[in-house]
Each structure stands twice: as C-alpha cells, then as structure tokens.
C-alpha cells in the first residue's frame, strides 16, 4: 500500500478510522471504496489497488474497518450496526470531498458495501460484490439456527456453523490463543472448510487441538507472519463484534430506515466456484427477485480468498467492468 497515502480521521461518534487514499488520474474518473472482510485489513486490497485500479486511472480509498488494524476497536456490538458504520463512511468521503464512489467489498466488507448503497444510494455510482451475494435489508430478525438449516437444505451442509464460535461471548479468546492454527484453517485448501468452518464445532476443535495444515500458495509465510503480528497486537475481540452485532439483533429492522433496496446502479458480482461458505449460486435469488437489474455476474476459480488465489483475473474482471459498466 506504499503508493497510497495513509490517513486517520475521527468521525462524529468519536471513533478514529485509518484509511488509504490515492486520487484518480483525472477528476472525472471514479474512486473505488474498498472494504475488507474478516479477518483482514485495508492491505487486503494492495494488489487490486496498485496492480489494477491505480494503473487504469481510478482512485482508491481502502478503509481499515471498525475493530481492525489502525481503526478504533470498540467492544460494544451495537457500535457495529451498519446504520452507524455507513454514516462513518460518508464522513470519510466528505473529508476527501468525494460525493460518489464505487462501493466494493469482500466477505463482511461486501455486506457493508451493500448496506452503504442501501442507506446512501446517492453516494454510490456502482456496487461490486465479492463472494457474498446480495441480500436485501429485512425487517425479520436474523436467526443463525434458521440460516444453517436453510443452507443445509439448499447445499447439503450448513455454511455458517463457525458463527457460533465467533459470536459467542469469549470465542475471540480461542482465536487469540491459537493464531497460527487459525491462519491455516482459514487459508487452507477450500475443501478443508467442510471439516472446519462448515462443521459444527469444527473450527473450535481445530483450534483447541492446535492443528495446522498446508495453506494455499497465495498464503505466504510473510502473509502468515503479518497476520500473527497484527492479532498479537490487536486481538480478535473487535473483529468478532461483527458477528455478535448480527446474531445479537443490532442489524435488525434496518429495512425501515434504508433508502433503496433494489440496486438501480450498475452492479458486479464476483463469485468463486469453490467457496464453501459464500456459494456463488446464492446470487440467483436476488436476480430472480429483480433486485439487481443492472447486474454483471462473473464466476471465477477459487475459494473464499479467490481474489488472492486468482488475483490477476480478479483484478482484470473489476477493471473491465468499470470500463464497460459505468
């Protein structure tokens, strides 16, 4: 991220955000707001930004999300409600005098990017969803049990059993105590997720036993060491609040407050064929319901971190869509 300018900014609710910014080559070129997921940081977007977006003339803002890296890490899950975090983003954009951006996210960052459009459609030129299919805001309370039962019926296995650990009161402590094990569980072969994150107590048992496994080629020793160093310093208490906020009902009833449910701007969905949690087939529901009338649907090879495993193809997909879709 050396080619981007690192900045800090205090939003109106007295939280400090760290973000990285590079202006577009021309004022009329759009800026892409890049939002990382669990358990990453703004640096997740280093390749996309420096190899693809910036050379193509686009601006970039990559944010350390709440709970991560250089940004504040409150421990109250209510602080992580999308209603509040999306407002934080508008204040960051205002600080950079940016009225509209392309909203792009991966994993939890993808849900965040979607909600940024839902709450502030007038600030979004286009929506890019990586891995996580579009889900409209709902008035119905979220039920983790129901979500696992539904995905089991659809896919033959539950996709969210690991949420029980991550949303539990002290689950973060187990992650903090077994950082190398955690890294190898998350970045192992995509098929291994069926025995860890997609299996009831699978991730918990993997960590307690201090198991380790071979990781995918993109997950280098340098990446692992950076992960361990970061979480020895910061811990998982903040990042797991994203799960606690959802399971604890802090994202409920958001449909009453959002301004847009149908995504009227151009949208891009990039799914990966071997992602065991965020199944690319899931985008079909939003398409069927007419929620994405301007969607470009792309499926690439890879697992949950296919944006790293298949980085060049991913980056070219995003840039090609920006050139054609906006």
């Amino acid at each position: 991220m050396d080619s981007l300018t690192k900045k800090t900014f205090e939003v109106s609710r007295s939280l400090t955000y760290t973000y990285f910014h590079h202006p577009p080559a021309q004022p009329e070129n759009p800026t892409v707001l890049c939002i990382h997921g669990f358990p990453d940081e703004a640096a997740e977007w280093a390749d996309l930004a420096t190899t693809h977006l910036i050379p193509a003339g686009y601006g970039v803002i990559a944010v350390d999300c709440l709970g991560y890296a250089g940004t504040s890490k409150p421990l109250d899950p209510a602080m992580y409600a999308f209603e509040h975090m999306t407002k934080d983003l508008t204040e960051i954009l205002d600080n950079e005098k940016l009225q509209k951006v392309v909203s792009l996210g991966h994993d939890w960052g993808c849900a965040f990017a979607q909600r940024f459009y839902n709450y502030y459609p007038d600030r979004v030129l286009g929506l890019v969803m990586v891995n996580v299919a579009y889900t409209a805001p709902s008035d119905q309370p979220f039920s983790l049990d129901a979500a696992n039962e539904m995905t089991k019926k659809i896919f033959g296995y539950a996709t969210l059993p690991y949420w029980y650990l991550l949303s539990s009161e002290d689950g973060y402590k187990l992650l903090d105590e077994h950082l190398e094990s955690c890294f190898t569980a998350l970045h192992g072969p995509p098929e291994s997720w069926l025995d860890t994150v997609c299996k009831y107590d699978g991730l918990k048992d993997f960590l307690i036993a201090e198991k380790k496994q071979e990781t995918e080629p993109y997950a280098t020793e340098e990446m692992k060491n950076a992960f361990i160093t970061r979480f020895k310093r910061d811990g998982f208490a903040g990042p797991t609040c994203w799960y606690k906020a959802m399971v604890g009902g802090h994202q409920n009833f958001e449909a009453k407050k959002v301004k847009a449910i149908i995504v009227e701007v151009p949208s891009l969905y990039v799914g990966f064929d071997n992602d065991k949690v965020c199944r690319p087939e899931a985008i079909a529901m939003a398409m069927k319901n007419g929620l994405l009338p301007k969607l470009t649907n792309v499926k690439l090879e890879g697992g949950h971190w296919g944006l790293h495993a298949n980085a060049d193809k991913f980056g070219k997909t995003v840039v090609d869509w920006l050139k054609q879709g906006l």
Side-chain angles (χ1 to χ4, degrees):
M1 302 291 277
D2 292 344
S3 60
L4 288 82
T5 302
K6 183 178 181 179
K7 299 186 178 185
T8 58
F9 179 73
E10 184 173 301
V11 297
S12 59
R13 55 187 185 131
S14 300
L15 298 169
T16 299
Y17 276 80
T18 294
Y19 64 94
F20 298 79
H21 181 228
H22 193 287
Q26 303 294 333
E28 63 270 18
N29 290 1
T31 291
V32 182
L33 172 64
C34 298
I35 311 175
H36 70 82
F38 177 90
D40 296 305
E41 58 180 331
E44 176 179 37
W45 303 110
D47 182 77
L48 178 65
T50 61
T51 306
H52 298 280
L53 294 176
I54 293 172
Y58 297 104
V60 175
I61 287 186
V63 181
D64 280 337
C65 288
L66 198 64
Y68 290 93
T71 291
S72 296
K73 303 168 185 65
L75 300 182
D76 179 0
M79 299 286 284
Y80 293 77
F82 286 129
E83 177 185 359
H84 305 315
M85 294 196 298
T86 53
K87 186 174 186 297
D88 295 342
L89 290 183
T90 67
E91 295 179 14
I92 291 170
L93 297 184
D94 289 345
N95 187 54
E96 295 295 337
K97 297 179 172 56
L98 285 166
Q99 176 57 34
K100 293 190 176 188
V101 294
V102 174
S103 183
L104 178 153
H106 169 245
D107 187 80
W108 269 114
C110 183
F112 194 1
Q114 294 174 30
R115 292 299 177 258
F116 185 59
Y117 173 79
N118 296 139
Y119 281 101
Y120 297 96
D122 58 328
R123 305 299 297 263
V124 178
L125 291 166
L127 174 63
V128 181
M129 300 165 283
V130 187
N131 292 76
V132 178
Y134 182 71
T135 304
S138 173
D139 288 333
Q140 298 302 310
F142 175 79
S143 166
L144 181 54
D145 290 341
N148 276 312
E149 284 300 314
M150 179 185 69
T151 54
K152 185 176 181 180
K153 289 179 181 178
I154 296 172
F155 303 122
Y157 64 92
T159 61
L160 304 179
Y162 68 105
W163 278 44
Y164 292 104
L165 173 64
L166 300 189
S167 63
S168 65
E169 183 177 353
D170 295 327
Y172 71 91
K173 294 180 181 178
L174 192 60
L175 303 178
D176 289 345
E177 293 165 0
H178 303 281
L179 293 176
E180 186 173 359
S181 252
C182 179
F183 182 86
T184 71
L186 296 178
H187 296 286
E191 294 81 4
S192 70
W193 279 35
L194 294 175
D195 293 319
T196 53
V197 300
C198 297
K199 180 180 178 181
Y200 289 95
D201 288 333
L203 179 59
K204 179 180 178 180
D205 292 343
F206 189 94
L207 297 176
I208 290 174
E210 195 63 46
K211 290 183 180 179
K212 299 178 183 65
Q213 63 181 358
E214 290 294 319
T215 54
E216 291 286 275
Y218 72 82
T220 62
E221 192 74 11
E222 180 183 9
M223 182 178 175
K224 181 184 77 173
N225 291 337
F227 173 92
I228 291 173
T229 298
R230 179 161 56 96
F231 281 105
K232 277 185 177 178
R233 181 192 68 206
D234 300 337
F236 272 94
T240 53
C241 281
W242 289 66
Y243 296 88
K244 293 176 181 176
M246 180 65 80
V247 174
H250 299 294
Q251 311 296 9
N252 290 352
F253 311 115
E254 52 191 5
K256 294 179 180 178
K257 298 181 179 180
V258 301
K259 296 179 181 177
I261 291 179
I262 297 174
V263 180
E264 301 288 359
V265 297
S267 59
L268 169 66
Y269 175 70
V270 183
F272 291 90
D273 63 356
N274 213 8
D275 188 339
K276 301 303 182 185
V277 169
C278 302
R279 295 285 294 259
E281 305 96 313
I283 195 66
M285 183 62 71
M287 295 170 64
K288 179 182 177 181
N289 291 334
L291 300 177
L292 301 167
K294 299 179 181 179
L295 175 69
T296 300
N297 183 18
V298 177
K299 184 164 67 174
L300 302 179
E301 293 180 356
H304 191 68
W305 275 276
L307 73 166
H308 299 317
N310 202 353
D312 190 57
K313 183 65 175 176
F314 170 70
K316 288 179 178 177
T317 297
V318 173
V319 169
D320 287 347
W321 175 82
L322 286 168
K323 290 178 178 177
Q324 300 170 14
L326 295 182

